[in-house]
Amino acid sequence: MSELDKKINEHFPGLVVRKDLVKTVKGNAIVPSYVLEYLLGQYCATSDEASIQTGIQTVREILRKHYVHRNEAGLVRSTIKEKGRHKVIDKVTVDLNDSKGVYEATFSNLGIKKVLVTTDTIKKHPKLLVGGVWCICDLEYDLVEEKDACPWIMASIKPIKLSHFDFDSYLEARQKFSTDEWIDLLIQSIGFNPDLMGRRSKMLQLVRLIPFCERNFNLIELGPKGTGKSHIFSEFSPHGILISGGEVTVPKLFVNNSNGKIGLVGYWDTVAFDEFAGKQKRVDMALVDIMKNYMANKTFSRGVETLGAEASMVFVGNTSHTVPYMLKHSDLFCDLPDKYHDSAFLDRLHFYIPGWEVDIIRGEMFSDGYGFVVDYLAEILRSLRNHDYSQQYKGKFDLLSDISTRDRDGVHKTFSGLMKVLFPSGEASPEEIEEILTFAIEGRKRVKDQLLRIDKTYTKVRFGYERAGGDTIFVKTLEEEEYPRHYGTDEEKQTEADAGSESATEHATDQKSETDEPKAQHLQFKENQRGVSYDMLFTPYLRGATRIEITDAYIRLFYQVRNLMELMETVARCKAEDAEPSVHLVTISDEFKAEQQHEMLTQIQNSCAAIGIQFTWEYDLSNSIHARHIVTDNGWKISLDRGLDIFQQYQMNDTFSFGNRMQEFRTCKAFEVTYLRP
């Protein structure tokens, strides 16, 4: 186990599980992760390997005997009839039979209906009436003569969720972890490997948890397919429900006027709409209108009566265009159905997750470390809905005065939600509070900036805050930094073009031109930024050089040596046809794989020799290299705070991935480059 995994087991004994076990026991069972983790939490919440293996066998046996597969439903029904009584794990939905005045249950996989349910059961578990709940039930079979009578009898029912938890112990244990450790624990709890994500990517994942701990939080995430947008809302919590955006109706979501039955928002903490995007989708305008009122006021009307609810609303959908295309030709909401592409509806959204920054899910991204049993974390988050941390930044920071009330609500709700997730006791350093506040402002700014494009009646707002010392900080979205020529309204884009405004990416790209002279400067790049390449960063400064010296202690692992090879490709592209430049590397020998390191560098040397580049290297025997830089004999020193390691992990072995073939399509780590004339 890693040191973090040991610490997790020490402070949360019995409440965490190794995350790769879910895949191990799932097999072909079509069941949410929280159901499996409920069982794993009963038998595998330990770090003892022998106990884990025994627990896995127990859980597999429980699933084999009691989980109902649809194709084996007939066999299970026969078992109940012959044995008289049998325990099943299935999704149960209950409806009121108006004509008979009784509640009747439907078992989704078992395929039986009209099973009588007592009124007391419904009072204890009202969610059975809306959307269905995964349960462990004892069923009996008793054939009766009465016509239309159901022979199936529900002897007992237990919804799959945690029965109790100690919130104070949770807060106490949280204090034992640093902020970085706690973030990694939460990412592992979601099921991902935190080592493959940067800080910003982790924060984007954690925003998905806010609807479970913040009442009436309105969240949207639009991005490419395959990024796991709906995973948390379908698999993570027994208090959330995922529905298809095209299947919802006013009675199902809010209230049925014919019988007064409250819809999904009255029973679930989070209602998520899957496949929400799609220009051609038919949308009920009455649903849009009542949704606008609910998202703004937390209420909806039924005739003369006004009702309230606390469910957060989440909208997830796929984009069909790249970000620069959307910014140039339309807006970041352009894929929504026309009736939702409405400024009044969109203005109710508190945060826009930029789904294009989230990696497409790959096998190696899943965690085999320890994380919370998800129903435990789900109950913790639910209990945090009773808290309000929206004012925790006051006294240290103040939002700028021209931020409107609705914009402030969006910032406050996101800030409060992230504080609950990361600092449930409410205690955080000024630097940590500032990070969360900046992130919350950016998410709301992304919404408002697109509203300015859609509806000309909106006025531009300065999004930012003031520090207690008097400094004013303005916040920009990442796509605003990346594509300033396409960002903003037409008038703003023209003003910025006239003023020569450009991002670090565009500035460095312009430097590639033969006619542009390289200049001394300092460039900063943000995490998840795209459009960056070695050609863009180095070509103007390497052109004409006959000797190039690279100093980087971390040219050891395969991906690091591959980075070096890609730099050699840049040298090859910018050298004159008849030139034979020399490139010398100073690095440190790998303590454990020196032979492999030497072999890879020799391969680069041979490849370079074939095209007229003299590549050599030496190991710094003192092992004291700290600075990373490139020095050329044409008068430049390029200081690199991360060396050549500027890209996040990408699909290195996928021949058909653009990220593999072209650096411009990879996401970056946060890094800085300084160009100096010594």
Side-chain angles (χ1 to χ4, degrees):
M1 288 193 296
S2 68
E3 290 303 314
L4 177 59
D5 285 337
K6 292 177 183 177
K7 194 170 184 178
I8 291 170
N9 276 279
E10 177 186 353
H11 296 292
F12 290 101
L15 298 171
V16 293
V17 69
R18 216 176 70 205
K19 287 297 171 170
D20 60 324
L21 300 183
V22 174
K23 190 180 294 185
T24 300
V25 303
K26 187 166 188 174
N28 62 346
I30 305 173
V31 59
S33 296
Y34 70 80
V35 174
L36 295 175
E37 290 202 18
Y38 173 85
L39 296 172
L40 290 169
Q42 307 294 312
Y43 301 100
C44 300
T46 175
S47 59
D48 179 69
E49 188 61 33
S51 299
I52 288 175
Q53 294 305 318
T54 302
I56 288 174
Q57 295 306 316
T58 302
V59 172
R60 281 176 170 165
E61 188 69 9
I62 290 171
L63 289 173
R64 186 184 67 79
K65 287 184 177 180
H66 304 292
Y67 171 74
V68 180
H69 295 270
R70 281 196 174 96
N71 59 352
E72 297 176 354
L75 178 61
V76 177
R77 291 197 296 268
S78 174
T79 300
I80 298 171
K81 177 180 180 300
E82 297 304 322
K83 291 174 59 178
R85 185 184 181 111
H86 184 65
K87 192 183 298 292
V88 299
I89 300 174
D90 201 351
K91 188 176 183 180
V92 181
T93 306
V94 176
D95 290 297
L96 174 64
N97 187 324
D98 297 329
S99 60
K100 295 183 179 180
V102 296
Y103 293 102
E104 297 175 338
T106 298
F107 285 70
S108 178
N109 291 354
L110 193 56
I112 60 175
K113 301 179 179 179
K114 298 184 178 181
V115 181
L116 292 180
V117 180
T118 66
T119 302
D120 286 343
T121 298
I122 297 302
K123 288 180 178 178
K124 289 180 183 177
H125 314 296
K127 285 183 184 176
L128 290 167
L129 293 168
V130 282
V133 177
W134 281 90
C135 302
I136 300 174
C137 303
D138 281 307
L139 282 178
E140 298 177 356
Y141 182 88
D142 185 14
L143 186 61
V144 293
E145 298 294 333
E146 185 181 344
K147 186 180 179 181
D148 296 330
C150 177
W152 305 101
I153 300 169
M154 187 188 296
S156 69
I157 181 170
K158 179 184 178 183
I160 292 177
K161 63 178 184 177
L162 196 70
S163 58
H164 67 279
F165 65 95
D166 186 342
F167 185 68
D168 290 335
S169 295
Y170 175 81
L171 296 182
E172 183 180 344
R174 163 63 184 95
Q175 303 304 317
K176 308 295 184 183
F177 293 79
S178 69
T179 301
D180 288 338
E181 289 174 335
W182 187 252
I183 289 174
D184 287 354
L185 166 53
L186 293 172
I187 294 298
Q188 288 186 178
S189 298
I190 294 172
F192 293 123
N193 182 353
D195 294 339
L196 303 186
M197 294 182 182
R199 179 68 163 235
R200 180 178 173 88
S201 296
K202 293 174 186 177
M203 293 290 281
L204 290 174
Q205 292 287 345
L206 296 181
V207 170
R208 292 172 172 173
L209 300 181
I210 296 178
F212 295 102
C213 66
E214 188 73 21
R215 293 188 178 111
N216 302 103
F217 183 72
N218 305 322
L219 174 68
I220 190 167
E221 179 175 357
L222 301 176
K225 297 177 182 178
T227 57
K229 292 184 287 293
S230 60
H231 168 77
I232 280 182
F233 307 107
S234 63
E235 301 276 324
F236 178 76
S237 171
H239 304 303
I241 186 170
L242 179 72
I243 57 178
S244 172
E247 295 179 357
V248 70
T249 61
V250 172
K252 182 177 180 179
L253 187 60
F254 291 105
V255 65
N256 190 325
N257 279 342
S258 63
N259 58 20
K261 183 179 177 182
I262 302 297
L264 299 172
V265 296
Y267 294 92
W268 298 91
D269 291 348
T270 300
V271 178
F273 297 80
D274 197 11
E275 300 174 355
F276 189 67
K279 276 292 186 185
Q280 307 306 318
K281 289 190 175 180
R282 297 174 60 184
V283 179
D284 181 3
M285 195 61 209
L287 175 64
V288 179
D289 289 338
I290 195 170
M291 196 179 291
K292 287 180 193 175
N293 187 61
Y294 173 75
M295 290 168 66
N297 306 314
K298 313 177 186 66
T299 60
F300 52 94
S301 298
R302 182 177 72 89
V304 296
E305 186 180 6
T306 299
L307 304 172
E310 298 179 352
S312 294
M313 307 288 270
V314 180
F315 309 94
V316 296
N318 297 326
T319 52
S320 56
H321 300 289
T322 63
V323 173
Y325 182 95
M326 290 188 285
L327 291 175
K328 182 175 181 179
H329 298 285
S330 180
D331 57 77
L332 298 179
F333 291 112
C334 66
D335 283 299
L336 297 185
D338 289 337
K339 288 186 173 65
Y340 286 114
H341 195 263
D342 171 75
S343 60
F345 170 78
L346 299 174
D347 199 16
R348 270 74 170 168
L349 297 170
H350 297 132
F351 195 98
Y352 186 148
I353 295 179
W356 48 87
E357 290 189 40
V358 181
D359 270 347
I360 293 175
I361 304 301
R362 307 184 302 274
E364 65 267 22
M365 294 176 65
F366 295 109
S367 174
D368 59 2
Y370 282 81
F372 290 122
V373 177
V374 290
D375 61 324
Y376 170 72
L377 182 56
E379 293 302 322
I380 291 291
L381 293 176
R382 190 180 202 208
S383 69
L384 284 165
R385 292 171 77 87
N386 297 320
H387 299 252
D388 179 16
Y389 294 170
S390 62
Q391 305 299 309
Q392 294 291 99
Y393 70 89
K394 293 291 182 69
K396 304 177 183 69
F397 308 96
D398 281 307
L399 296 179
L400 296 184
S401 59
D402 57 345
I403 296 180
S404 69
T405 300
R406 185 161 284 173
D407 292 331
R408 284 175 184 269
D409 287 344
V411 173
H412 284 166
K413 279 188 165 291
T414 305
F415 177 81
S416 178
L418 282 175
M419 283 292 294
K420 292 175 185 180
V421 170
L422 297 178
F423 306 101
S425 64
E427 298 176 3
S429 69
E431 294 76 19
E432 291 165 336
I433 289 175
E434 185 170 17
E435 178 187 16
I436 294 175
L437 183 61
T438 301
F439 200 73
I441 293 172
E442 182 190 340
R444 174 58 190 178
K445 186 179 191 295
R446 184 170 291 109
V447 174
K448 194 59 173 282
D449 286 350
Q450 303 313 303
L451 288 174
L452 293 172
R453 292 163 163 256
I454 296 169
D455 189 337
K456 303 301 182 185
T457 63
Y458 283 89
T459 57
K460 186 171 178 60
V461 177
R462 296 182 311 149
F463 279 89
Y465 57 91
E466 293 179 350
R467 292 177 176 144
D471 294 338
T472 299
I473 308 298
F474 295 103
V475 175
K476 288 186 175 183
T477 65
L478 180 56
E479 56 272 14
E480 187 176 5
E481 299 268 15
E482 285 184 292
Y483 312 109
R485 294 175 182 174
H486 302 314
Y487 205 83
T489 62
D490 292 338
E491 295 81 2
E492 289 171 336
K493 284 188 280 187
Q494 184 58 50
T495 301
E496 289 181 354
D498 294 341
S501 174
E502 59 184 348
S503 67
T505 305
E506 290 178 318
H507 188 82
T509 302
D510 289 342
Q511 288 289 312
K512 286 172 58 179
S513 170
E514 291 276 359
T515 59
D516 286 336
E517 287 295 323
K519 64 180 182 180
Q521 60 181 323
H522 178 75
L523 298 178
Q524 292 180 296
F525 297 85
K526 291 187 175 181
E527 184 183 325
N528 288 349
Q529 194 165 332
R530 286 183 171 87
V532 181
S533 69
Y534 291 164
D535 284 357
M536 180 193 83
L537 293 172
F538 304 130
T539 294
Y541 301 89
L542 299 181
R543 190 180 293 118
T546 59
R547 178 168 176 81
I548 301 165
E549 183 170 302
I550 305 163
T551 302
D552 189 336
Y554 299 98
I555 307 293
R556 310 174 190 178
L557 305 177
F558 173 78
Y559 81 91
Q560 295 167 339
V561 180
R562 175 175 164 138
N563 287 338
L564 175 65
M565 182 62 194
E566 290 185 340
L567 178 61
M568 293 301 100
E569 293 173 9
T570 295
V571 173
R573 279 189 286 268
C574 68
K575 82 178 186 71
E577 186 176 323
D578 58 348
E580 292 190 347
S582 63
V583 179
H584 185 68
L585 169 69
V586 180
T587 188
I588 291 177
S589 177
D590 190 304
E591 183 178 359
F592 301 103
K593 295 185 177 181
E595 185 177 339
Q596 183 183 44
Q597 180 187 22
H598 181 85
E599 181 181 340
M600 290 187 290
L601 292 175
T602 300
Q603 289 178 13
I604 291 179
Q605 185 179 55
N606 294 337
S607 295
C608 287
I611 63 168
I613 298 175
Q614 302 172 32
F615 175 73
T616 56
W617 74 92
E618 67 174 285
Y619 298 124
D620 181 82
L621 300 180
S622 67
N623 289 341
S624 60
I625 297 177
H626 297 294
R628 307 184 199 182
H629 52 253
I630 299 172
V631 178
T632 68
D633 65 352
N634 61 355
W636 288 103
K637 179 177 181 180
I638 307 170
S639 179
L640 305 160
D641 68 332
R642 297 196 64 94
L644 300 179
D645 186 18
I646 64 173
F647 299 111
Q648 296 187 37
Q649 186 164 3
Y650 57 93
Q651 294 169 286
M652 194 174 294
N653 297 321
D654 186 352
T655 305
F656 304 104
S657 164
F658 278 101
N660 180 20
R661 311 287 298 183
M662 301 172 68
Q663 293 179 331
E664 293 88 342
F665 291 95
R666 302 172 193 168
T667 54
C668 288
K669 300 174 181 177
F671 72 99
E672 299 180 9
V673 184
T674 305
Y675 304 89
L676 302 167
R677 277 203 180 275

